[in-house]
Amino acid sequence: MVTIDNYVRAQSLEEAYELNSAKNSRIIGGMLWIKLSNNKVKTAIDLSDLGLNKIEEDDEQFSIGSMVTLRDIELNESLNKYTNNSIKNSVKDIVGVQFRNMATVGGSIWGRFGFSDVLTVFLALDSYVELYKGGIIPLSQFVTMKRDKDILVRIIVKKTPIKVSYSSVRNQRTDFPVLTCATSVIDGVYKAAVGARPKKAMLIEDNSNILASDISDKSINDFADYVSNNVPTASNLRGSAEYRTHLIKVLVTRNIKNMEGIS
């Protein structure tokens, strides 16, 4: 159970940052994971009054505020058209609609949870995070950073020409995933993001150009082997390391074929 001493609806990012700098203060979103923890929060800081619950779009990018819910991105037609419904597919099995109406994109990305479908799919896109003090940095860089007291303002997805596909394996629907996988091709470079391994998602690029000139069963299988050989896995109650390594090959192959329209 979480105990909160003070609750503040911040009226500016600067106020939120100053409050969050204090020991035992926390930014809160949907409170869906925080409430499962067992600690004391001196000041809970709510960003609801800062207009960060919008998905904005222009010719170059999508800008997704940190307080946008998972349900919002699930239903956004333009975002899902751009990602071939990969965003929708990544969140549709996260608990239920009531949960997705409350859980925020910012909370999912900031938490860098090992089980995060959301982190996995955004990692495969041409995506960035905007931090209040840290500025705009690639999501792939943010994933490797230690948590600090900065504030995640928004997630930015560039409208780079892309093919993308997402899939996951669960022991039962709405359960935490056994493995998550998103693949994409951006500017001719194929990528695979693998999460729930069970650690946080990591991104592998086709630096050896396995798929660059030839999309065939052999090259796809070779790339799937390359990804599985470079993504460490471990065991937990949902699956063994060996099973997860096998699933990497299966999901990468499935996603690439889906992207390329290969049956």
Side-chain angles (χ1 to χ4, degrees):
M1 182 179 72
V2 172
T3 301
I4 296 174
D5 288 344
N6 302 298
Y7 166 80
V8 179
R9 291 176 73 99
Q11 297 305 299
S12 69
L13 283 168
E14 181 61 28
E15 179 189 8
Y17 181 78
E18 291 178 0
L19 289 168
N20 194 45
S21 297
K23 187 177 181 180
N24 295 331
S25 295
R26 294 190 70 171
I27 303 291
I28 60 171
M31 286 287 292
L32 294 165
W33 302 121
I34 293 176
K35 71 181 182 181
L36 297 177
S37 61
N38 186 22
N39 56 46
K40 184 174 183 178
V41 177
K42 182 178 180 181
T43 303
I45 306 149
D46 191 341
L47 306 180
S48 295
D49 291 344
L50 303 185
L52 300 177
N53 61 340
K54 301 174 184 177
I55 301 175
E56 298 174 314
E57 177 186 0
D58 59 28
D59 292 339
E60 296 183 353
Q61 64 187 31
F62 296 93
S63 177
I64 305 168
S66 59
M67 294 297 286
V68 167
T69 69
L70 301 189
R71 185 63 170 166
D72 291 333
I73 62 173
E74 181 181 9
L75 297 178
N76 188 278
E77 293 184 4
S78 185
L79 186 59
N80 279 291
K81 181 179 180 180
Y82 171 71
T83 63
N84 191 31
N85 286 324
S86 293
I87 296 290
K88 178 180 180 180
N89 290 337
S90 73
V91 302
K92 65 183 177 64
D93 290 324
I94 298 178
V95 187
V97 172
Q98 296 91 337
F99 185 97
R100 298 196 295 275
N101 274 329
M102 298 177 66
T104 62
V105 178
S108 298
I109 297 295
W110 179 265
R112 286 160 276 194
F113 303 116
F115 54 79
S116 178
D117 298 84
V118 180
L119 180 60
T120 304
V121 72
F122 276 99
L123 195 56
L125 307 177
D126 187 10
S127 55
Y128 303 78
V129 297
E130 180 182 342
L131 304 173
Y132 179 57
K133 293 295 185 180
I136 298 173
I137 60 174
L139 179 59
S140 57
Q141 176 183 337
F142 176 74
V143 167
T144 65
M145 293 167 54
K146 293 182 179 180
R147 296 187 193 182
D148 55 22
K149 286 291 189 173
D150 210 339
I151 296 175
L152 177 61
V153 179
R154 59 179 54 87
I155 297 93
I156 297 167
V157 178
K158 300 289 187 180
K159 286 186 174 179
T160 307
I162 190 175
K163 295 178 184 178
V164 59
S165 182
Y166 181 86
S167 58
S168 66
V169 170
R170 284 167 159 80
N171 290 327
Q172 62 181 17
R173 189 178 180 186
T174 76
D175 190 10
F176 287 113
V178 178
L179 192 84
T180 61
C181 180
T183 59
S184 64
V185 56
I186 303 174
D187 293 331
V189 179
Y190 284 81
K191 304 179 181 183
V194 180
R197 48 190 185 90
K199 297 180 180 180
K200 64 186 175 186
M202 64 180 294
L203 185 66
I204 299 293
E205 296 189 2
D206 183 14
N207 294 322
S208 300
N209 295 321
I210 298 170
L211 294 167
S213 59
D214 174 48
I215 303 297
S216 63
D217 285 343
K218 181 181 185 306
S219 63
I220 293 172
N221 288 334
D222 287 346
F223 181 62
D225 283 336
Y226 174 74
V227 176
S228 66
N229 289 334
N230 285 278
V231 174
T233 59
S235 302
N236 65 3
L237 58 85
R238 289 181 177 82
S240 67
E242 293 77 14
Y243 179 49
R244 285 187 164 96
T245 297
H246 169 73
L247 287 179
I248 291 172
K249 297 180 183 180
V250 172
L251 295 190
V252 169
T253 299
R254 183 181 299 169
N255 286 352
I256 296 292
K257 286 187 175 182
N258 181 56
M259 283 167 41
E260 300 297 343
I262 301 172
S263 58

